[in-house]
Amino acid sequence: SPIISFKNISKEYSRNKVITKALDNISLDIEKGDIYGLIGSSGAGKSTLLRMINALEVPTSGKVFVKGIDINEISAKQLSMLRKDIGIIFQDFNLLESKNVFDNVAIPLILKHTPKNEISTRVAELLKFVGLEDKALSLPKELSGGQKQRVGIARALATNPSVLLCDEATSALDPNTTESILELLQRVNLELKVTIIFVTHTIRVIQKICNKVAILDGGKLIEHGRVIDVFSNP
Ligand code: ADP
Ligand code: ADP
């Protein structure tokens, strides 16, 4: 059974009496182990759909199931537990600028009251995995964009999630840095067995790492399936 399932999802925003249909009857299954791409132009509804997976957005109608659980029908406590199983990384990294790399990665562990010695071991292991073992004491402003995203990835993985959401995670990076971040995400998928959902507006990124893709346009699901079927390689 799918790890994430969208069933007839619609989302309407109303502002100044103008209604925007951000998502229009989307049904989609994401299987365990997928690197699933969500592609479409700006305003297509990609971020809205992504943020429904950890209930940062709630559908106007339809249901979102994560591991078979309807995430809009659970208690606040259950939702907080579910969110520890779903990591997220962002285009602009969202690091705390006043905290060093170690402390940024430690945040999710501090929030779940992990003992100090366990935090040290775990953060060291995460920094090694992302290739930043020598940057623990650096501040975000001392890092390149690619290094900042590696910190974002380490922080997102701190609680050992089974799902990683990537919201335009390489859109602020140059092509070479994008390549290296995509290779790291492939290792996250293969070595750590993390299911990845990757929002982007770039086909090349999808072709590089995704096995499946859904194309959104104006809130509608235009096409979905295996990347090799949806985008035939030139
Ligand atoms: P993108 O996904 O293209 O990077 P955003 O998701 O930030 O950009 O926004 C896409 C569109 O949604 C923009 O036109 C923006 O103005 C609009 N938008 C985003 N958030 C809000 C909001 N809270 N209220 C109104 N419009 C918003
Ligand atoms: P994408 O990520 O593909 O750029 P979004 O999911 O951000 O698209 O936005 C889809 C549509 O919903 C856009 O028309 C956007 O303007 C609108 N939208 C997104 N968030 C809000 C919001 N909080 N309030 C009003 N409109 C929004």
Side-chain angles (χ1 to χ4, degrees), residues 28-233:
L28 209 59
D29 286 342
I30 297 171
E31 305 293 335
K32 196 172 183 311
D34 278 345
I35 303 187
Y36 208 115
L38 298 178
I39 191 167
S41 52
S42 186
K46 310 181 292 295
S47 300
T48 302
L49 193 62
L50 190 78
R51 288 197 289 256
M52 281 181 183
I53 297 170
N54 57 8
L56 284 176
E57 296 275 5
V58 176
T60 308
S61 61
K63 287 182 184 298
V64 183
F65 296 92
V66 176
K67 294 180 168 173
I69 297 165
D70 180 341
I71 63 161
N72 295 301
E73 294 291 336
I74 59 180
S75 67
K77 192 173 174 183
Q78 285 174 303
L79 181 60
S80 140
M81 276 169 60
L82 179 88
R83 281 183 173 151
K84 292 188 181 66
D85 192 39
I86 303 174
I88 185 162
I89 60 173
F90 306 92
Q91 174 168 1
D92 49 9
F93 322 118
N94 279 14
L95 304 179
L96 295 180
E97 295 297 327
S98 65
K99 301 266 183 212
N100 69 26
V101 166
F102 183 100
D103 290 340
N104 266 282
V105 175
I107 291 165
L109 300 170
I110 292 167
L111 289 177
K112 61 177 268 200
H113 311 292
T114 308
K116 249 187 170 164
N117 59 330
E118 269 179 50
I119 292 182
S120 300
T121 313
R122 179 74 182 132
V123 172
E125 179 183 60
L126 287 158
L127 291 181
K128 185 153 190 271
F129 184 81
V130 302
L132 289 181
E133 55 271 64
D134 58 340
K135 297 288 182 192
L137 303 180
S138 300
L139 289 170
K141 67 170 184 228
E142 298 163 339
L143 303 177
S144 69
Q147 289 171 332
K148 284 184 202 175
Q149 194 56 290
R150 285 171 190 272
V151 177
I153 292 168
R155 180 184 55 187
L157 295 175
T159 55
N160 234 331
S162 51
V163 175
L164 178 64
L165 309 179
C166 307
D167 196 352
E168 298 277 9
T170 57
S171 299
L173 305 175
D174 65 50
N176 286 335
T177 309
T178 294
E179 288 285 305
S180 70
I181 293 297
L182 295 180
E183 279 161 21
L184 176 59
L185 291 174
Q186 273 173 323
R187 286 180 49 221
V188 170
N189 176 252
L190 286 172
E191 295 173 28
L192 307 180
K193 312 285 177 214
V194 174
T195 302
I196 295 179
I197 300 97
F198 198 105
V199 161
T200 181
H201 51 263
T202 317
I203 291 180
R204 216 184 47 75
V205 168
I206 299 279
Q207 286 179 317
K208 168 92 184 165
I209 61 160
C210 296
N211 63 321
K212 299 204 193 109
V213 64
I215 305 176
L216 296 178
D217 186 38
K220 288 192 161 63
L221 181 61
I222 300 300
E223 213 180 336
H224 65 102
R226 296 190 306 165
V227 172
I228 48 169
D229 296 330
V230 173
F231 300 117
S232 51
N233 277 299

